[in-house]
Amino acid sequence: MQRGLNPFLTFLFATLIVMFTGGPVILSLIGSVVPDRILLDSSKALFSEGLNFETYRYVFTGQLPDSYLAETANRAMISDAARQVPQSLLNSGIIAFSSMVLNLLIGAPAAYVFARYVFPGKKLTFMFLILSPLVPAVALVTPVYIMLQTLGLVGTQAGIILVHTAKALPFTVLILSVFFRKMPAEIFEAAVLDHCSRFQTFWRIALPLALPSVGATGLFAFMLSYSEYMFSMVLSGDAATRPVSVVMAALARNTDVSWSLLNTAIFIAIVPTLVLVVFVWRFVVEGLLSGAVKG
């Protein structure tokens, strides 16, 4: 009989995980609603003056916080980059969602073919696809930029979407091919006996069975695109097409920026990912664990 884990050790490790994963989110939330004069003054309690949402008001409306309207206030602590956060969130949402959709439209059929069929060059192409992420991204920046510049896609969302799709596609194909390979062969043999074509077998049988896995893979493709910085920085244009990762980097490089404003921008940038994880968590858990609990 297998012995269970020590409850104390389980609680200890769970606490450490929560601290390292949820701690930064909680700290950014607290820092966004506490003014700088309180954050930087160790003699005052954090909430001695209550909650302050002036930095949120500035990010969404552009109205300066009252503490910076005084004549002696340091206006350099208020960065214009924070005003780009709402638009950059929309840009990142469009880019990440489009990249996720393209990944699933291309990656799911490709993974199914790699998992269920034999064709010339299968091993070579699969290994090339899977090993391609090992190439350092910095080595690809210049050729990718030249290629997209030739196509007239530099400074557009379409160019960033194509690059993010290409970066996440090997991961999508690898994960989904594992789940398609684990499906019982009898199901597909029955589909052939019922005169289903290859596309019908994929669309009506394989895809519905792999839906949790597809949801989990789509979520990770979304997150990879949402958090990607290097290609987004090089390929993005003005503020109208700039993703949130680029805006946050520009905000963080300002050494004089208000800590409260910086934490506000960080928390706003985190919120969409938190909401997304809450809504699709069921698919993530089922998709990642279905192969481990069935067999």
Side-chain angles (χ1 to χ4, degrees):
M1 182 176 179
Q2 187 177 5
R3 295 180 59 185
L5 294 175
N6 188 308
F8 175 76
L9 291 178
T10 303
F11 175 78
L12 177 62
F13 284 115
T15 303
L16 291 175
I17 292 173
V18 171
M19 287 177 59
F20 280 99
T21 56
V25 178
I26 296 174
L27 289 177
S28 64
L29 174 60
I30 294 175
S32 68
V33 296
V34 176
D36 287 341
R37 60 182 179 274
I38 304 298
L39 282 175
L40 303 177
D41 190 347
S42 58
S43 63
K44 294 183 179 180
L46 280 178
F47 302 107
S48 58
E49 296 186 8
L51 303 182
N52 189 305
F53 296 96
E54 291 182 342
T55 51
Y56 286 91
R57 185 182 63 188
Y58 172 74
V59 169
F60 289 104
T61 67
Q63 183 178 347
L64 284 173
D66 296 338
S67 56
Y68 293 97
L69 295 177
E71 294 183 359
T72 57
N74 183 9
R75 298 291 181 85
M77 297 181 69
I78 296 297
S79 173
D80 290 336
R83 292 282 294 118
Q84 300 176 15
V85 170
Q87 179 62 42
S88 67
L89 279 176
L90 178 61
N91 295 337
S92 287
I94 295 173
I95 292 171
F97 181 78
S98 302
S99 175
M100 178 189 71
V101 172
L102 283 177
N103 258 280
L104 295 180
L105 287 177
I106 300 173
Y112 176 73
V113 171
F114 276 117
R116 308 304 308 186
Y117 296 101
V118 178
F119 54 89
K122 172 182 175 179
K123 291 184 178 180
L124 180 62
T125 53
F126 188 76
M127 290 300 297
F128 176 80
L129 182 67
I130 299 306
L131 295 179
S132 59
L134 297 180
V135 180
V138 67
L140 300 175
V141 170
T142 300
V144 168
Y145 182 88
I146 294 174
M147 181 176 61
L148 292 182
Q149 188 179 43
T150 303
L151 297 174
L153 295 178
V154 173
T156 66
Q157 290 184 351
I160 302 176
I161 291 170
L162 290 176
V163 174
H164 287 187
T165 301
K167 286 196 65 179
L169 193 58
F171 173 83
T172 302
V173 173
L174 175 62
I175 296 300
L176 291 183
S177 64
V178 172
F179 288 103
F180 285 132
R181 193 177 297 115
K182 289 183 178 181
M183 292 181 179
E186 292 79 6
I187 298 177
F188 301 99
E189 293 172 358
V192 173
L193 294 176
D194 288 338
H195 305 288
C196 287
S197 65
R198 292 183 176 181
F199 176 77
Q200 289 174 330
T201 303
F202 166 74
W203 182 256
R204 295 182 178 180
I205 298 175
L207 193 59
L209 292 176
L211 196 58
S213 307
V214 172
T217 308
L219 172 63
F220 281 107
F222 183 97
M223 295 304 302
L224 287 173
S225 175
Y226 187 85
S227 60
E228 200 279 328
Y229 170 69
M230 182 176 295
F231 287 101
S232 298
M233 177 189 66
V234 174
L235 300 176
S236 61
D238 54 16
T241 59
R242 201 168 294 158
V244 69
S245 59
V246 179
V247 172
M248 292 304 301
L251 186 63
R253 283 197 299 266
N254 184 353
T255 56
D256 295 325
V257 70
S258 161
W259 281 99
S260 180
L261 182 62
L262 179 60
N263 279 294
T264 299
I266 291 173
F267 185 73
I268 293 174
I270 293 174
V271 166
T273 61
L274 296 178
V275 173
L276 182 65
V277 167
V278 169
F279 277 106
V280 300
W281 180 250
R282 179 174 62 88
F283 290 101
V284 175
V285 174
E286 292 183 3
L288 293 179
L289 299 183
S290 59
V293 298
K294 297 178 182 179

